[in-house]
Protein backbone atom coordinates (compact mmCIF):
# COMPACT_ATOMS: atom_id res chain seq x y z
CA UNK A 1 0.00 0.00 0.00
CA UNK A 2 3.01 2.31 0.22
CA UNK A 3 2.79 3.12 -3.49
CA UNK A 4 -0.84 4.22 -2.96
CA UNK A 5 0.08 6.47 -0.05
CA UNK A 6 2.89 7.90 -2.13
CA UNK A 7 0.40 9.19 -4.68
CA UNK A 8 -2.24 10.32 -2.13
CA UNK A 9 -0.80 13.76 -1.41
CA UNK A 10 -3.65 16.21 -1.98
CA UNK A 11 -2.71 19.85 -1.62
CA UNK A 12 -4.82 22.87 -0.68
CA UNK A 13 -5.25 23.61 -4.40
CA UNK A 14 -6.54 20.07 -5.03
CA UNK A 15 -9.17 20.42 -2.30
CA UNK A 16 -10.16 23.80 -3.77
CA UNK A 17 -10.75 22.34 -7.23
CA UNK A 18 -12.74 19.46 -5.76
CA UNK A 19 -14.95 21.47 -3.41
CA UNK A 20 -15.67 24.32 -5.82
CA UNK A 21 -16.50 22.05 -8.74
CA UNK A 22 -18.64 19.76 -6.59
CA UNK A 23 -20.66 22.71 -5.27
CA UNK A 24 -21.11 24.23 -8.73
CA UNK A 25 -22.13 20.87 -10.24
CA UNK A 26 -24.73 20.24 -7.55
CA UNK A 27 -26.06 23.78 -7.84
CA UNK A 28 -26.21 23.55 -11.64
CA UNK A 29 -28.17 20.30 -11.48
CA UNK A 30 -30.84 21.85 -9.25
CA UNK A 31 -30.47 25.53 -10.21
CA UNK A 32 -34.01 26.01 -11.50
CA UNK A 33 -35.53 24.25 -8.49
CA UNK A 34 -33.38 26.24 -6.05
CA UNK A 35 -34.05 29.61 -7.68
CA UNK A 36 -37.67 29.25 -8.79
CA UNK A 37 -39.12 26.88 -6.19
CA UNK A 38 -37.05 27.55 -3.08
CA UNK A 39 -36.39 31.18 -4.03
CA UNK A 40 -32.76 30.95 -2.95
CA UNK A 41 -29.81 32.59 -4.67
CA UNK A 42 -26.20 31.45 -5.03
CA UNK A 43 -24.36 33.87 -2.68
CA UNK A 44 -25.70 32.67 0.70
CA UNK A 45 -25.35 29.02 -0.30
CA UNK A 46 -21.83 29.57 -1.62
CA UNK A 47 -20.85 31.48 1.53
CA UNK A 48 -22.11 28.60 3.69
CA UNK A 49 -19.99 26.18 1.66
CA UNK A 50 -16.96 28.39 2.26
CA UNK A 51 -17.66 28.52 6.00
CA UNK A 52 -18.21 24.75 6.29
CA UNK A 53 -15.03 23.84 4.42
CA UNK A 54 -13.05 26.85 5.67
CA UNK A 55 -10.44 27.07 8.44
CA UNK A 56 -12.98 27.36 11.27
CA UNK A 57 -14.73 24.06 10.40
CA UNK A 58 -13.35 21.37 8.07
CA UNK A 59 -10.17 23.39 7.31
CA UNK A 60 -9.99 22.11 3.73
CA UNK A 61 -10.24 25.61 2.21
CA UNK A 62 -7.77 27.90 3.95
CA UNK A 63 -6.70 30.86 1.81
CA UNK A 64 -4.33 32.09 4.52
CA UNK A 65 -2.01 29.23 3.55
CA UNK A 66 -1.86 30.37 -0.05
CA UNK A 67 0.12 33.52 0.74
CA UNK A 68 -0.62 37.13 -0.34
CA UNK A 69 -4.25 36.77 0.73
CA UNK A 70 -5.06 40.49 0.43
CA UNK A 71 -3.68 40.61 -3.11
CA UNK A 72 -5.75 37.57 -4.13
CA UNK A 73 -8.88 39.03 -2.54
CA UNK A 74 -8.37 42.43 -4.13
CA UNK A 75 -7.72 41.20 -7.66
CA UNK A 76 -10.45 38.52 -7.59
CA UNK A 77 -12.99 41.08 -6.33
CA UNK A 78 -11.78 43.62 -8.91
CA UNK A 79 -12.33 41.25 -11.84
CA UNK A 80 -15.63 39.79 -10.64
CA UNK A 81 -17.23 43.10 -9.65
CA UNK A 82 -15.87 44.66 -12.84
CA UNK A 83 -17.44 41.88 -14.92
CA UNK A 84 -20.74 42.31 -13.11
CA UNK A 85 -20.93 46.09 -13.60
CA UNK A 86 -19.99 45.56 -17.25
CA UNK A 87 -22.87 43.08 -17.48
CA UNK A 88 -25.23 45.64 -15.93
CA UNK A 89 -24.19 48.17 -18.55
CA UNK A 90 -24.79 45.67 -21.34
CA UNK A 91 -28.19 44.49 -20.09
CA UNK A 92 -29.78 47.88 -19.43
CA UNK A 93 -32.43 48.93 -21.96
CA UNK A 94 -30.97 50.82 -24.89
CA UNK A 95 -30.34 54.54 -24.26
CA UNK A 96 -31.66 53.94 -20.73
CA UNK A 97 -30.06 56.96 -19.07
CA UNK A 98 -31.55 59.43 -21.53
CA UNK A 99 -34.96 58.65 -20.00
CA UNK A 100 -34.18 57.58 -16.44
CA UNK A 101 -31.20 59.72 -15.44
CA UNK A 102 -33.18 61.51 -12.72
CA UNK A 103 -34.12 58.32 -10.85
CA UNK A 104 -30.56 56.97 -10.97
CA UNK A 105 -29.12 60.37 -10.02
CA UNK A 106 -31.34 60.53 -6.93
CA UNK A 107 -30.25 57.03 -5.89
CA UNK A 108 -26.56 57.86 -6.41
CA UNK A 109 -26.79 61.33 -4.88
CA UNK A 110 -29.07 61.93 -1.87
CA UNK A 111 -29.74 58.23 -1.14
CA UNK A 112 -26.09 57.16 -1.26
CA UNK A 113 -24.88 60.22 0.67
CA UNK A 114 -27.41 59.59 3.43
CA UNK A 115 -26.42 55.90 3.51
CA UNK A 116 -22.78 56.86 3.94
CA UNK A 117 -23.43 59.40 6.72
CA UNK A 118 -25.92 57.35 8.73
CA UNK A 119 -23.73 54.24 8.58
CA UNK A 120 -20.73 56.29 9.74
CA UNK A 121 -22.77 57.67 12.63
CA UNK A 122 -23.96 54.22 13.76
CA UNK A 123 -20.42 52.80 13.47
CA UNK A 124 -18.98 55.67 15.49
CA UNK A 125 -21.60 55.37 18.23
CA UNK A 126 -21.87 51.58 18.48
CA UNK A 127 -18.22 50.55 18.09
CA UNK A 128 -16.64 53.68 19.63
CA UNK A 129 -14.26 54.12 16.71
CA UNK A 130 -12.63 57.32 15.53
CA UNK A 131 -14.83 59.37 13.23
CA UNK A 132 -12.44 58.99 10.27
CA UNK A 133 -12.42 55.21 10.76
CA UNK A 134 -16.23 55.19 10.82
CA UNK A 135 -16.27 57.23 7.58
CA UNK A 136 -14.01 54.70 5.85
CA UNK A 137 -16.14 51.76 6.99
CA UNK A 138 -19.35 53.46 5.89
CA UNK A 139 -17.85 54.30 2.47
CA UNK A 140 -17.06 50.61 1.94
CA UNK A 141 -20.67 49.77 2.78
CA UNK A 142 -22.37 52.63 0.93
CA UNK A 143 -22.65 51.06 -2.55
CA UNK A 144 -25.20 48.48 -3.59
CA UNK A 145 -23.31 45.37 -4.59
CA UNK A 146 -23.93 44.44 -8.25
CA UNK A 147 -23.21 40.74 -7.66
CA UNK A 148 -25.75 40.33 -4.86
CA UNK A 149 -28.21 42.62 -6.62
CA UNK A 150 -27.94 40.48 -9.75
CA UNK A 151 -28.68 37.33 -7.75
CA UNK A 152 -31.92 38.92 -6.53
CA UNK A 153 -32.92 40.69 -9.74
CA UNK A 154 -31.89 37.98 -12.21
CA UNK A 155 -34.57 36.38 -14.35
CA UNK A 156 -36.61 34.10 -12.08
CA UNK A 157 -40.16 33.45 -10.90
CA UNK A 158 -39.76 36.12 -8.21
CA UNK A 159 -38.06 38.80 -10.28
CA UNK A 160 -40.84 38.64 -12.87
CA UNK A 161 -43.22 39.73 -10.10
CA UNK A 162 -41.27 43.00 -9.71
CA UNK A 163 -41.91 45.84 -12.21
CA UNK A 164 -39.16 46.06 -14.80
CA UNK A 165 -38.57 49.75 -14.18
CA UNK A 166 -37.60 48.94 -10.58
CA UNK A 167 -35.29 46.13 -11.65
CA UNK A 168 -33.66 48.38 -14.22
CA UNK A 169 -33.25 51.24 -11.76
CA UNK A 170 -31.70 49.03 -9.08
CA UNK A 171 -29.42 47.39 -11.64
CA UNK A 172 -28.28 50.77 -12.98
CA UNK A 173 -27.66 51.99 -9.43
CA UNK A 174 -25.64 48.91 -8.54
CA UNK A 175 -23.61 49.25 -11.74
CA UNK A 176 -22.68 52.86 -11.01
CA UNK A 177 -22.32 53.15 -7.28
CA UNK A 178 -19.34 50.85 -6.71
CA UNK A 179 -17.39 53.38 -8.74
CA UNK A 180 -19.16 56.39 -7.24
CA UNK A 181 -18.20 55.12 -3.77
CA UNK A 182 -14.53 56.03 -4.34
CA UNK A 183 -15.06 59.73 -3.53
CA UNK A 184 -16.76 58.74 -0.26
CA UNK A 185 -13.96 56.31 0.58
CA UNK A 186 -11.18 58.80 -0.08
CA UNK A 187 -12.73 61.55 2.04
CA UNK A 188 -11.93 59.53 5.15
CA UNK A 189 -8.63 58.18 3.82
CA UNK A 190 -7.21 61.52 2.67
CA UNK A 191 -8.01 63.27 5.93
CA UNK A 192 -5.95 60.57 7.66
CA UNK A 193 -3.11 60.39 5.15
CA UNK A 194 -2.57 64.01 4.00
CA UNK A 195 -0.74 66.53 6.16
CA UNK A 196 -3.25 69.37 5.83
CA UNK A 197 -6.93 69.80 5.09
CA UNK A 198 -6.09 71.77 1.94
CA UNK A 199 -3.93 68.96 0.61
CA UNK A 200 -6.71 66.46 1.32
CA UNK A 201 -9.37 68.54 -0.50
CA UNK A 202 -7.07 69.16 -3.48
CA UNK A 203 -6.17 65.49 -3.85
CA UNK A 204 -9.82 64.49 -3.45
CA UNK A 205 -11.07 66.85 -6.16
CA UNK A 206 -8.26 66.36 -8.70
CA UNK A 207 -7.19 62.79 -8.01
CA UNK A 208 -10.43 61.10 -7.01
CA UNK A 209 -13.38 62.98 -8.51
CA UNK A 210 -11.87 64.22 -11.78
CA UNK A 211 -9.18 61.66 -12.61
CA UNK A 212 -10.45 58.41 -11.15
CA UNK A 213 -14.22 58.80 -11.54
CA UNK A 214 -14.95 61.27 -14.34
CA UNK A 215 -12.10 60.20 -16.60
CA UNK A 216 -12.72 56.52 -15.80
CA UNK A 217 -16.34 56.73 -16.94
CA UNK A 218 -15.44 58.64 -20.10
CA UNK A 219 -12.71 56.14 -21.00
CA UNK A 220 -15.15 53.28 -20.50
CA UNK A 221 -17.78 54.87 -22.74
CA UNK A 222 -15.22 55.45 -25.49
CA UNK A 223 -13.92 51.86 -25.24
CA UNK A 224 -17.43 50.43 -25.39
CA UNK A 225 -18.52 52.54 -28.36
CA UNK A 226 -15.33 51.83 -30.34
CA UNK A 227 -15.57 48.08 -29.81
CA UNK A 228 -19.26 48.13 -30.69
CA UNK A 229 -18.30 49.58 -34.07
CA UNK A 230 -15.42 47.12 -34.43
CA UNK A 231 -17.59 44.09 -33.69
CA UNK A 232 -20.30 45.27 -36.07
CA UNK A 233 -17.69 45.59 -38.81
CA UNK A 234 -16.29 42.10 -38.13
CA UNK A 235 -19.77 40.54 -38.17
CA UNK A 236 -20.83 42.36 -41.32
CA UNK A 237 -17.82 41.09 -43.28
CA UNK A 238 -17.86 37.66 -41.57
CA UNK A 239 -14.37 38.07 -40.11
CA UNK A 240 -15.42 36.58 -36.75
CA UNK A 241 -16.75 33.12 -35.93
CA UNK A 242 -19.48 32.21 -33.44
CA UNK A 243 -17.15 31.12 -30.62
CA UNK A 244 -15.05 34.28 -30.84
CA UNK A 245 -18.20 36.41 -30.96
CA UNK A 246 -19.42 34.96 -27.67
CA UNK A 247 -16.07 35.23 -25.90
CA UNK A 248 -15.73 38.84 -27.10
CA UNK A 249 -18.12 39.88 -24.31
CA UNK A 250 -15.85 38.49 -21.60
CA UNK A 251 -12.64 39.76 -23.19
CA UNK A 252 -13.96 43.30 -23.56
CA UNK A 253 -15.01 43.35 -19.91
CA UNK A 254 -11.54 42.26 -18.78
CA UNK A 255 -9.93 44.73 -21.20
CA UNK A 256 -11.90 47.63 -19.73
CA UNK A 257 -10.96 46.59 -16.19
CA UNK A 258 -7.30 46.27 -17.20
CA UNK A 259 -7.35 49.67 -18.91
CA UNK A 260 -8.83 51.31 -15.85
CA UNK A 261 -6.31 49.68 -13.51
CA UNK A 262 -3.35 50.54 -15.75
CA UNK A 263 -4.31 54.20 -16.07
CA UNK A 264 -5.13 54.50 -12.37
CA UNK A 265 -8.75 55.45 -12.97
CA UNK A 266 -11.88 53.96 -11.41
CA UNK A 267 -11.98 50.34 -12.65
CA UNK A 268 -15.67 49.89 -11.95
CA UNK A 269 -16.88 53.07 -13.65
CA UNK A 270 -14.64 52.24 -16.61
CA UNK A 271 -16.14 48.74 -16.83
CA UNK A 272 -19.70 50.00 -16.43
CA UNK A 273 -19.13 52.72 -19.03
CA UNK A 274 -17.65 50.16 -21.42
CA UNK A 275 -20.63 47.85 -20.99
CA UNK A 276 -23.16 50.64 -21.47
CA UNK A 277 -21.27 52.16 -24.41
CA UNK A 278 -20.88 48.73 -26.00
CA UNK A 279 -24.58 47.84 -25.86
CA UNK A 280 -26.21 51.28 -25.86
CA UNK A 281 -28.15 50.58 -29.08
CA UNK A 282 -29.36 47.05 -28.21
CA UNK A 283 -27.58 45.40 -31.16
CA UNK A 284 -25.32 43.12 -29.11
CA UNK A 285 -28.16 42.11 -26.77
CA UNK A 286 -30.21 41.08 -29.78
CA UNK A 287 -27.41 38.88 -31.02
CA UNK A 288 -26.82 37.13 -27.70
CA UNK A 289 -30.21 37.05 -25.97
CA UNK A 290 -30.40 33.24 -26.24
CA UNK A 291 -26.88 32.54 -24.90
CA UNK A 292 -27.47 33.55 -21.24
CA UNK A 293 -23.85 34.70 -20.90
CA UNK A 294 -24.43 36.59 -17.61
CA UNK A 295 -25.92 33.47 -16.00
CA UNK A 296 -22.84 31.46 -16.95
CA UNK A 297 -20.53 34.09 -15.45
CA UNK A 298 -22.68 34.23 -12.30
CA UNK A 299 -22.45 30.49 -11.78
CA UNK A 300 -18.72 30.14 -12.41
CA UNK A 301 -17.19 33.31 -11.00
CA UNK A 302 -19.59 34.93 -8.55
CA UNK A 303 -20.41 31.71 -6.72
CA UNK A 304 -16.73 30.78 -6.49
CA UNK A 305 -15.93 34.19 -5.01
CA UNK A 306 -18.57 33.82 -2.31
CA UNK A 307 -17.17 30.39 -1.41
CA UNK A 308 -13.79 32.12 -1.08
CA UNK A 309 -15.33 34.85 1.06
CA UNK A 310 -16.88 32.27 3.37
CA UNK A 311 -13.42 30.77 3.87
CA UNK A 312 -11.71 34.08 4.77
CA UNK A 313 -14.25 35.48 7.23
CA UNK A 314 -12.14 36.66 10.22
CA UNK A 315 -14.19 35.03 12.98
CA UNK A 316 -11.46 35.47 15.59
CA UNK A 317 -11.45 39.23 15.10
CA UNK A 318 -15.12 39.59 16.02
CA UNK A 319 -14.11 39.84 19.68
CA UNK A 320 -12.26 42.67 21.52
CA UNK A 321 -8.53 42.96 20.87
CA UNK A 322 -5.83 45.47 21.74
CA UNK A 323 -6.64 47.89 18.92
CA UNK A 324 -10.35 47.09 18.65
CA UNK A 325 -11.82 47.12 22.18
CA UNK A 326 -15.21 48.24 20.88
CA UNK A 327 -15.75 45.20 18.66
CA UNK A 328 -17.90 42.54 20.30
CA UNK A 329 -20.32 40.03 18.74
CA UNK A 330 -23.28 41.82 20.33
CA UNK A 331 -22.26 45.23 19.03
CA UNK A 332 -21.60 43.86 15.56
CA UNK A 333 -25.07 42.31 15.45
CA UNK A 334 -26.59 45.56 16.71
CA UNK A 335 -24.70 47.55 14.08
CA UNK A 336 -25.88 45.16 11.36
CA UNK A 337 -29.53 45.57 12.42
CA UNK A 338 -29.23 49.38 12.48
CA UNK A 339 -27.58 49.46 9.06
CA UNK A 340 -30.19 47.17 7.48
CA UNK A 341 -33.07 49.18 8.95
CA UNK A 342 -31.84 52.75 8.53
CA UNK A 343 -29.09 52.80 5.87
CA UNK A 344 -31.49 53.10 2.90
CA UNK A 345 -35.12 52.53 3.80
CA UNK A 346 -35.88 55.92 5.48
CA UNK A 347 -34.20 58.03 2.80
CA UNK A 348 -35.79 56.13 -0.10
CA UNK A 349 -39.22 56.51 1.53
CA UNK A 350 -38.55 60.21 2.08
CA UNK A 351 -37.30 60.79 -1.48
CA UNK A 352 -40.01 58.66 -3.14
CA UNK A 353 -41.81 61.59 -4.77
CA UNK A 354 -38.54 62.82 -6.33
CA UNK A 355 -37.70 59.44 -7.90
CA UNK A 356 -39.94 59.03 -10.98
CA UNK A 357 -39.48 55.26 -11.26
CA UNK A 358 -40.75 54.67 -7.70
CA UNK A 359 -44.53 55.10 -7.72
CA UNK A 360 -45.80 53.66 -4.44
CA UNK A 361 -44.51 53.46 -0.89
CA UNK A 362 -44.40 49.66 -1.15
CA UNK A 363 -42.05 50.08 -4.11
CA UNK A 364 -39.94 52.54 -2.09
CA UNK A 365 -39.75 50.05 0.78
CA UNK A 366 -38.66 47.32 -1.65
CA UNK A 367 -35.95 49.50 -3.22
CA UNK A 368 -34.80 50.67 0.18
CA UNK A 369 -34.41 47.13 1.44
CA UNK A 370 -32.65 45.70 -1.62
CA UNK A 371 -29.38 47.52 -1.23
CA UNK A 372 -27.09 44.55 -0.46
CA UNK A 373 -23.44 44.90 0.53
CA UNK A 374 -21.05 42.31 -0.89
CA UNK A 375 -17.98 41.91 -3.07
CA UNK A 376 -17.76 45.60 -3.90
CA UNK A 377 -17.32 46.34 -0.20
CA UNK A 378 -14.71 43.58 -0.03
CA UNK A 379 -12.67 45.29 -2.75
CA UNK A 380 -13.02 48.71 -1.15
CA UNK A 381 -11.89 47.54 2.29
CA UNK A 382 -8.73 45.98 0.82
CA UNK A 383 -8.12 49.25 -1.07
CA UNK A 384 -8.55 51.19 2.17
CA UNK A 385 -6.19 48.93 4.12
CA UNK A 386 -3.51 49.26 1.44
CA UNK A 387 -3.77 53.05 1.43
CA UNK A 388 -3.46 53.17 5.21
CA UNK A 389 -0.54 50.73 5.27
CA UNK A 390 1.66 52.14 2.52
CA UNK A 391 -0.14 55.00 0.75
CA UNK A 392 -0.80 52.98 -2.43
CA UNK A 393 -3.57 50.74 -3.73
CA UNK A 394 -1.34 47.65 -3.54
CA UNK A 395 -1.62 45.56 -0.36
CA UNK A 396 1.57 44.44 1.33
CA UNK A 397 2.28 40.66 1.09
CA UNK A 398 2.81 40.77 4.84
CA UNK A 399 1.04 43.63 6.65
CA UNK A 400 3.58 45.78 8.52
CA UNK A 401 3.55 45.48 12.30
CA UNK A 402 4.15 49.15 12.97
CA UNK A 403 1.96 51.56 11.03
CA UNK A 404 0.63 55.00 11.82
CA UNK A 405 -3.07 54.21 11.50
CA UNK A 406 -3.13 50.88 13.32
CA UNK A 407 -6.58 51.39 14.86
CA UNK A 408 -8.22 52.02 11.50
CA UNK A 409 -6.47 49.09 9.77
CA UNK A 410 -7.39 46.62 12.51
CA UNK A 411 -11.00 47.83 12.72
CA UNK A 412 -12.22 48.14 9.14
CA UNK A 413 -11.53 44.55 8.04
CA UNK A 414 -13.56 42.62 10.66
CA UNK A 415 -16.41 45.15 10.71
CA UNK A 416 -16.88 45.23 6.93
CA UNK A 417 -16.53 41.43 6.72
CA UNK A 418 -19.25 40.92 9.34
CA UNK A 419 -21.65 43.32 7.61
CA UNK A 420 -21.02 41.63 4.25
CA UNK A 421 -21.76 38.25 5.85
CA UNK A 422 -24.99 39.53 7.38
CA UNK A 423 -26.12 41.27 4.20
CA UNK A 424 -25.35 38.22 2.06
CA UNK A 425 -27.50 36.00 4.26
CA UNK A 426 -30.37 38.40 4.89
CA UNK A 427 -30.70 39.81 1.38
CA UNK A 428 -30.11 36.40 -0.14
CA UNK A 429 -32.94 34.90 1.93
CA UNK A 430 -35.28 37.89 1.57
CA UNK A 431 -36.75 36.62 -1.68
CA UNK A 432 -37.82 33.39 0.02
CA UNK A 433 -39.27 35.31 2.96
CA UNK A 434 -41.23 37.70 0.72
CA UNK A 435 -42.55 34.83 -1.42
CA UNK A 436 -43.68 32.78 1.58
CA UNK A 437 -45.18 35.85 3.26
CA UNK A 438 -47.07 36.75 0.08
CA UNK A 439 -48.39 33.18 -0.12
CA UNK A 440 -49.56 33.02 3.49
CA UNK A 441 -51.23 36.44 3.36
CA UNK A 442 -53.66 35.25 0.68
CA UNK A 443 -56.97 33.56 1.25
CA UNK A 444 -57.08 29.79 0.71
CA UNK A 445 -58.73 30.02 -2.69
CA UNK A 446 -56.21 32.59 -3.96
CA UNK A 447 -53.04 30.69 -3.05
CA UNK A 448 -50.87 28.79 -5.51
CA UNK A 449 -50.79 24.98 -5.06
CA UNK A 450 -47.20 25.19 -3.77
CA UNK A 451 -45.88 27.67 -1.20
CA UNK A 452 -44.43 30.76 -2.77
CA UNK A 453 -45.29 29.83 -6.37
CA UNK A 454 -47.50 32.83 -7.12
CA UNK A 455 -46.65 34.43 -10.46
CA UNK A 456 -48.73 37.60 -10.40
CA UNK A 457 -47.16 40.97 -9.65
CA UNK A 458 -46.36 41.86 -6.05
CA UNK A 459 -49.18 43.76 -4.35
CA UNK A 460 -49.11 47.54 -4.02
CA UNK A 461 -46.75 47.90 -6.98
CA UNK A 462 -47.72 49.41 -10.34
CA UNK A 463 -47.46 46.76 -13.05
CA UNK A 464 -48.32 48.73 -16.16
CA UNK A 465 -48.35 46.77 -19.40
CA UNK A 466 -48.27 43.54 -17.43
CA UNK A 467 -44.60 43.93 -16.53
CA UNK A 468 -43.96 47.46 -15.34
CA UNK A 469 -41.79 48.27 -18.38
CA UNK A 470 -39.56 51.29 -18.02
CA UNK A 471 -39.64 52.00 -21.77
CA UNK A 472 -41.39 50.70 -24.89
CA UNK A 473 -38.38 48.78 -26.19
CA UNK A 474 -35.80 46.89 -24.17
CA UNK A 475 -32.38 45.79 -25.36
CA UNK A 476 -32.65 42.31 -26.78
CA UNK A 477 -36.44 42.40 -27.16
CA UNK A 478 -36.56 43.61 -30.74
CA UNK A 479 -36.04 41.45 -33.78
CA UNK A 480 -32.46 41.72 -34.98
CA UNK A 481 -31.72 43.45 -38.26
CA UNK A 482 -31.31 40.66 -40.83
CA UNK A 483 -28.70 42.74 -42.64
CA UNK A 484 -26.36 42.81 -39.61
Amino acid sequence: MSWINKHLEPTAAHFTYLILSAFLIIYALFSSFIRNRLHLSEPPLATLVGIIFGPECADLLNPTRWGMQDNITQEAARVIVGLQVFTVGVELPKTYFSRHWKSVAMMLGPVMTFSWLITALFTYLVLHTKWTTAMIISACLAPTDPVLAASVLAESTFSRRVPRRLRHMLSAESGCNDGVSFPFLYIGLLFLIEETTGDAVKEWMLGTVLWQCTLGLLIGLVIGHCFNRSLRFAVKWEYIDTGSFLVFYFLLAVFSIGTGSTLGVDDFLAAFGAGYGFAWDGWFANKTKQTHLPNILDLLLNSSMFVYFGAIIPWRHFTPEEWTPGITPGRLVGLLVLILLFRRIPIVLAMKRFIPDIRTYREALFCGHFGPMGLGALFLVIEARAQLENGTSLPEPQPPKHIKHKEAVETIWPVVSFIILGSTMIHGLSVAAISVGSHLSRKDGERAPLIGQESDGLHYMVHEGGGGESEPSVSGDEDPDPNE
Side-chain angles (χ1 to χ4, degrees):
M1 298 295 290
S2 60
W3 65 273
I4 296 179
N5 294 331
K6 180 180 179 180
H7 292 278
L8 289 177
E9 297 177 356
T11 65
H14 300 158
F15 282 121
T16 302
Y17 307 150
L18 177 63
I19 294 168
L20 275 179
S21 61
F23 167 69
L24 294 176
I25 287 171
I26 294 171
Y27 184 88
L29 287 172
F30 300 98
S31 56
S32 180
F33 175 79
I34 292 172
R35 174 164 289 185
N36 295 317
R37 295 281 295 276
L38 300 181
H39 299 291
L40 298 176
S41 57
E42 303 98 320
L45 299 176
T47 302
L48 285 174
V49 170
I51 293 171
I52 292 169
F53 291 99
E56 297 300 319
C57 295
D59 198 22
L60 296 178
L61 289 176
N62 193 341
T64 59
R65 297 173 184 163
W66 302 352
M68 301 180 68
Q69 180 185 325
D70 282 356
N71 301 77
I72 294 172
T73 305
Q74 182 187 45
E75 296 309 318
R78 185 199 306 275
V79 171
I80 291 173
V81 175
L83 283 170
Q84 193 65 61
V85 298
F86 180 89
T87 300
V88 170
V90 168
E91 292 195 318
L92 281 175
K94 63 182 185 181
T95 61
Y96 176 82
F97 284 98
S98 65
R99 296 180 301 279
H100 300 274
W101 63 269
K102 184 176 181 181
S103 293
V104 179
M106 296 303 293
M107 298 299 289
L108 295 177
V111 171
M112 193 171 176
T113 301
F114 177 87
S115 301
W116 172 59
L117 291 173
I118 197 68
T119 302
L121 178 62
F122 288 144
T123 304
Y124 174 76
L125 295 176
V126 174
L127 302 182
H128 307 303
T129 66
K130 294 180 180 179
W131 179 247
T132 48
T133 302
M135 290 171 65
I136 295 170
I137 291 171
S138 65
C140 294
L141 300 173
T144 299
D145 187 68
V147 179
L148 275 170
S151 70
V152 173
L153 302 174
E155 193 66 22
S156 66
T157 301
F158 175 82
S159 67
R160 288 190 288 270
R161 303 181 66 194
V162 180
R164 283 184 183 174
R165 62 188 152 74
L166 296 184
R167 284 187 277 156
H168 293 154
M169 185 190 71
L170 291 175
S171 293
E173 180 201 4
S174 69
C176 294
N177 64 11
D178 274 289
V180 174
S181 63
F182 274 78
F184 294 103
L185 177 66
Y186 275 87
I187 288 177
L189 286 174
L190 291 173
F191 275 104
L192 276 178
I193 296 171
E194 297 294 336
E195 296 294 332
T196 66
T197 301
D199 290 339
V201 173
K202 179 181 177 181
E203 178 63 27
W204 184 76
M205 281 298 301
L206 296 179
T208 304
V209 176
L210 293 179
W211 179 266
Q212 285 190 302
C213 296
T214 306
L215 183 61
L217 180 59
L218 291 176
I219 289 174
L221 289 170
V222 171
I223 289 174
H225 186 75
C226 290
F227 278 96
N228 175 287
R229 297 287 113 188
S230 300
L231 186 60
R232 278 176 173 268
F233 175 82
V235 170
K236 180 178 180 180
W237 293 98
E238 298 182 353
Y239 292 152
I240 187 170
D241 59 31
T242 303
S244 298
F245 181 87
L246 294 178
V247 80
F248 192 87
Y249 174 102
F250 177 81
L251 295 177
L252 179 56
V254 176
F255 178 81
S256 63
I257 298 166
T259 301
S261 302
T262 302
L263 296 178
V265 298
D266 191 324
D267 317 64
F268 301 146
L269 280 179
F272 176 76
Y276 186 74
F278 181 60
W280 69 275
D281 57 358
W283 175 81
F284 182 78
N286 269 323
K287 295 286 187 180
T288 59
K289 61 182 178 181
Q290 300 300 326
T291 63
H292 303 290
L293 284 173
N295 294 341
I296 296 171
L297 292 177
D298 284 348
L299 179 62
L300 291 177
L301 298 178
N302 300 348
S303 298
S304 299
M305 189 60 191
F306 275 98
V307 172
Y308 174 81
F309 169 67
I312 64 170
I313 295 172
W315 299 98
R316 298 178 185 179
H317 295 288
F318 295 158
T319 55
E321 296 181 331
E322 178 184 359
W323 291 96
T324 56
I327 293 180
T328 65
R331 288 181 179 177
L332 287 173
V333 171
L335 179 63
L336 173 64
V337 172
L338 290 172
I339 289 174
L340 292 176
L341 289 178
F342 298 105
R343 168 174 162 264
R344 281 170 58 97
I345 292 175
I347 186 63
V348 176
L349 288 171
M351 300 298 296
K352 172 246 174 191
R353 61 177 176 168
F354 302 108
I355 305 175
D357 283 321
I358 297 180
R359 302 181 185 176
T360 70
Y361 282 103
R362 181 66 65 89
E363 293 180 358
L365 181 63
F366 178 87
C367 294
H369 171 70
F370 278 107
M373 299 155 280
L375 301 185
L378 199 63
F379 175 85
L380 292 172
V381 74
I382 298 296
E383 174 95 2
R385 284 180 61 179
Q387 289 286 348
L388 293 172
E389 289 173 355
N390 55 39
T392 73
S393 297
L394 303 175
E396 298 283 353
Q398 293 294 330
K401 295 182 179 180
H402 303 288
I403 54 177
K404 184 177 180 180
H405 309 292
K406 186 73 171 178
E407 182 266 347
V409 171
E410 294 296 328
T411 302
I412 60 177
W413 174 242
V415 174
V416 172
S417 296
F418 185 87
I419 301 300
I420 293 174
L421 173 62
S423 177
T424 300
M425 294 302 172
I426 292 173
H427 287 108
L429 299 175
S430 292
V431 170
I434 293 173
S435 299
V436 172
S438 174
H439 178 88
L440 296 178
S441 65
R442 297 168 182 262
K443 298 178 181 179
D444 289 341
E446 299 175 352
R447 294 176 181 173
L450 297 174
I451 294 179
Q453 292 305 299
E454 284 76 16
S455 59
D456 58 327
L458 291 175
H459 288 176
Y460 304 105
M461 292 186 179
V462 180
H463 300 272
E464 69 277 10
E469 290 81 356
S470 54
E471 55 285 306
S473 58
V474 177
S475 293
D477 285 351
E478 306 86 356
D479 293 329
D481 187 339
N483 297 320
E484 295 185 323

